[in-house]
Amino acid sequence: MSADVTLAWSQEALVVDVSVADDVQRQPFTGQKIWQGDSVQVALAPGFPGETISAGAEYGAALTSSGAQSVVLRNMDGSPGTGTAATSTVTRDESAKKTHYRMSLPWAELTPAAADQRLLSVSVLVNDDDDGRSFLAWGGGISNVKDSNQYNAVTLVD
């Protein structure tokens, strides 16, 4: 398994694109349990890594049996996620053995993080469930412990 991650932004949302090379697509879960199958998790907090007390917000996206699903796993204040206006498209090219995830995370849900702030802490986790769960991570602070100190600093540029 391998993955490429690209971050982009607009005044409305932070956009996370992840292209995953994965020989087997397996996602038997839905809702808050999608992290247990093939999926992507994105965690973010405002400012430099560890600058905020909270581990920040965490979102997930997966291609489930009923199509692409977006979930908020944790709100910015650390409380359990409920509904979200985040959207995802997830497509699978079986012949190329690639899955593409595109998540649009609205700034309105990410307060106090904002586009005009220009500095975020971000971590991305790609979950794989071919024969038990494994993952690839860009940054830390998602899988073993929720800790924004382990995220990567990201500067939003025009």
Side-chain angles (χ1 to χ4, degrees):
M1 181 175 72
S2 64
D4 292 312
V5 176
T6 304
L7 302 175
W9 67 281
S10 69
Q11 288 299 319
E12 292 76 37
L14 177 68
V15 178
V16 182
D17 275 308
V18 183
S19 181
V20 180
D22 182 7
D23 56 344
V24 176
Q25 169 68 30
R26 183 174 184 279
Q27 179 48 269
F29 304 96
T30 59
Q32 297 291 316
K33 295 183 179 186
I34 62 170
W35 62 270
Q36 295 177 63
D38 288 0
S39 61
V40 170
Q41 290 170 256
V42 177
L44 60 120
F48 284 105
E51 187 175 318
T52 60
I53 296 171
S54 164
E58 184 178 338
Y59 289 80
L63 184 58
T64 70
S65 58
S66 58
Q69 185 175 36
S70 300
V71 296
V72 58
L73 298 164
R74 188 180 62 249
N75 293 314
M76 190 61 79
D77 65 4
S79 64
T82 53
T84 182
T87 59
S88 297
T89 56
V90 185
T91 56
R92 173 73 176 172
D93 181 341
E94 194 57 50
S95 63
K97 303 294 185 192
K98 291 196 175 199
T99 306
H100 182 256
Y101 301 82
R102 182 180 181 94
M103 301 171 69
S104 181
L105 311 176
W107 291 114
E109 288 186 21
L110 302 177
T111 303
D116 60 356
Q117 184 182 22
R118 302 295 177 131
L119 180 63
L120 296 172
S121 299
V122 179
S123 186
V124 178
L125 192 74
V126 177
N127 294 300
D128 185 36
D129 184 24
D130 290 352
D131 186 22
R133 181 176 175 251
S134 62
F135 57 83
L136 294 174
W138 180 71
I142 296 177
S143 63
N144 297 326
V145 64
K146 306 303 183 188
D147 181 3
S148 65
N149 282 301
Q150 298 178 31
Y151 299 175
N152 292 305
V154 172
T155 303
L156 303 176
V157 295
D158 291 325

